[in-house]
Amino acid sequence: LRHQFRPGIVATTMERGQWLAQQRQIPQAIAKLSQGVDLLEKYLAEAGGGLAVLIGYRQSYELLARLQAESGLQREAFGTMARLNQVETMQRGSAALLQRPELAALKQLGEQAEALQQQASQAQSLGRPVDSQLLAQNREQARQLLSGLLEHSPQYRQALSVEPVDLTAVQKDLPADTVLVQYLPGPQGLYLFVLTRQELKVRRVSVAAGELERAVARLRTRIANYPLHANLGKPFRWDADLVRDGRQLYDWLIRPLEQDLRGHSVLAIVPSGNLYYLPFSCLIRSMGPKGPEFVAQRWQSVELVKAADLRELQRQALPARSGLLALANPDGSLPGAEREVRQIARFFPKA
């Protein structure tokens, strides 16, 4: 049955690609996984499949990117990860968007497509003739409706479709003072895709994904448990375990980039997995007589959901007449947040 409707076809194609990778038939695995990714993205765009559908295939995207990187296909590997980030963003927002009245027809066609595919599967399993014309008509109606919607309402493009990743355009969007890094953890090592306006490099660090995840979890726990108020009756000392974990993560995640960061003041980070929950700015480069040197003391850092978000960095600020309501430091324990809000308010006279 699973071979007779689109989710089953996607699953079979992905599993074939994974099997080819296990057999070290790398060119064939790349081709098959690329086919599976294309099929999945078309299905998600047309049928509005949920994020749960995608989660099962994240490892296929990541495997494809690793195989491409190992084969010297750096641009293709970067593009695969950018597509994964884009699809995840699309899927997070599509469920809410499909509740809007103007998208009701598209949601209905997606539900009809699911029902028609299941009916076709059941009929074929029972040896009955399958009427494929209804499903073809449904897909064509969905295609036309989506095309018209994106033409008249381009703001839905990122939420309802996967755009091809143009690396040249991404590099053009990249500010001259910025280095972008996309992380890809794997069972045998960590890949870092390092992008500047001039070039794309791929670096590899010998740390397995599981070891990296545990180190991130430890540092987060130590930060969460760190005392908010120092004991003034005792000399201040930095927590040795916190410093150790902060330096270890810096060595894995940032130190391999130091050569690329020369002459650049901004580090734009596209995380992956539980790296989304890591405060990169507080990673520790070194420990001196005056205490640790944090990433934030050397570079400005910004975290992006996907590389295409660089376009947002290039947009001009809102006009000065725009108002702003900003809240921070409600109980006095977040003085840094209060300073940030005051700085932001300077750009909004009516704040």
Side-chain angles (χ1 to χ4, degrees):
L1 278 176
R2 68 196 300 248
H3 295 265
Q4 307 304 327
F5 63 101
R6 293 174 72 188
I9 295 173
V10 171
T12 302
T13 305
M14 295 290 203
E15 289 171 2
R16 177 65 177 175
Q18 293 172 8
W19 181 84
L20 288 168
Q22 291 173 356
Q23 303 303 310
R24 301 308 296 170
Q25 299 181 37
I26 304 304
Q28 296 89 336
I30 290 175
K32 187 59 67 174
L33 288 169
S34 298
Q35 180 186 1
V37 164
D38 289 338
L39 290 171
L40 175 64
E41 291 174 2
K42 289 177 182 177
Y43 167 67
L44 292 174
E46 294 177 13
L51 184 60
V53 176
L54 175 64
I55 290 173
Y57 297 112
R58 164 176 268 278
Q59 64 177 2
S60 295
Y61 275 89
E62 294 178 342
L63 173 60
L64 174 58
R66 288 196 297 272
L67 294 177
Q68 290 168 329
E70 292 169 2
S71 302
L73 304 172
Q74 299 179 352
R75 299 175 72 89
E76 290 82 356
F78 181 88
T80 297
M81 290 304 298
R83 287 170 70 180
L84 172 59
N85 297 144
Q86 189 180 164
V87 171
E88 288 183 323
T89 301
M90 178 186 81
Q91 289 308 107
R92 288 190 183 99
S94 64
L97 279 175
L98 290 174
Q99 302 303 317
R100 297 187 179 183
E102 63 269 32
L103 301 180
L106 186 63
K107 178 183 178 182
Q108 184 178 12
L109 285 171
E111 293 171 348
Q112 290 175 355
E114 282 291 300
L116 288 170
Q117 289 178 55
Q118 292 182 17
Q119 289 175 10
S121 299
Q122 293 173 0
Q124 193 164 22
S125 67
L126 297 173
R128 298 174 182 172
V130 176
D131 185 358
S132 59
Q133 185 175 0
L134 286 176
L135 187 56
Q137 291 175 350
N138 174 279
R139 290 180 180 173
E140 179 60 23
Q141 289 175 359
R143 187 194 65 78
Q144 292 180 3
L145 183 61
L146 181 61
S147 177
L149 178 66
L150 296 180
E151 181 179 354
H152 293 95
S153 302
Q155 68 271 22
Y156 291 134
R157 184 170 297 279
Q158 286 190 357
L160 295 175
S161 63
V162 179
E163 298 293 315
V165 177
D166 184 346
L167 183 59
T168 302
V170 174
Q171 288 180 296
K172 184 178 179 181
D173 288 334
L174 194 65
D177 62 349
T178 301
V179 172
L180 181 142
V181 57
Q182 163 89 63
Y183 292 100
L184 172 59
Q188 305 301 324
L190 171 69
Y191 286 93
L192 295 78
F193 298 89
V194 188
L195 185 69
T196 64
R197 276 191 170 183
Q198 291 73 36
E199 59 183 338
L200 169 67
K201 299 178 181 178
V202 179
R203 303 192 183 280
R204 187 177 181 277
V205 178
S206 297
V207 55
E211 186 178 1
L212 180 62
E213 289 179 6
R214 289 189 291 272
V216 170
R218 282 198 308 270
L219 182 62
R220 282 174 49 82
T221 300
R222 299 193 197 287
I223 293 173
N225 294 335
Y226 205 77
L228 295 176
H229 304 286
N231 186 341
L232 299 180
K234 295 182 179 180
F236 177 79
R237 292 182 180 178
W238 286 95
D239 181 275
D241 292 330
L242 186 149
V243 171
R244 183 198 63 225
D245 290 338
R247 295 187 69 173
Q248 178 64 83
L249 285 165
Y250 181 94
D251 288 342
W252 288 336
L253 299 171
I254 307 296
R255 197 173 299 281
L257 309 173
E258 286 191 347
Q259 181 178 351
D260 306 295
L261 284 165
R262 290 177 183 171
H264 299 83
S265 58
V266 180
L267 173 60
I269 298 167
V270 183
S272 180
N274 74 337
L275 292 180
Y276 276 108
Y277 307 105
L278 177 67
F280 283 84
S281 294
C282 77
L283 299 186
I284 298 173
R285 182 176 185 269
S286 61
M287 193 70 180
K290 295 183 179 180
E293 179 190 13
F294 296 102
V295 168
Q297 294 172 266
R298 282 227 164 201
W299 303 282
Q300 300 176 50
S301 63
V302 57
E303 294 186 28
L304 309 174
V305 175
K306 54 187 183 301
D309 289 343
L310 286 166
R311 297 169 189 167
E312 299 297 325
L313 299 180
Q314 297 289 64
R315 290 186 179 180
Q316 295 188 4
L318 294 171
R321 64 177 179 274
S322 299
L324 171 73
L325 172 63
L327 307 175
N329 199 19
D331 60 0
S333 64
L334 299 172
E338 182 176 344
R339 289 194 296 271
E340 289 180 358
V341 165
R342 292 188 184 279
Q343 290 289 328
I344 294 170
R346 293 169 52 196
F347 298 98
F348 298 86
K350 296 182 180 181

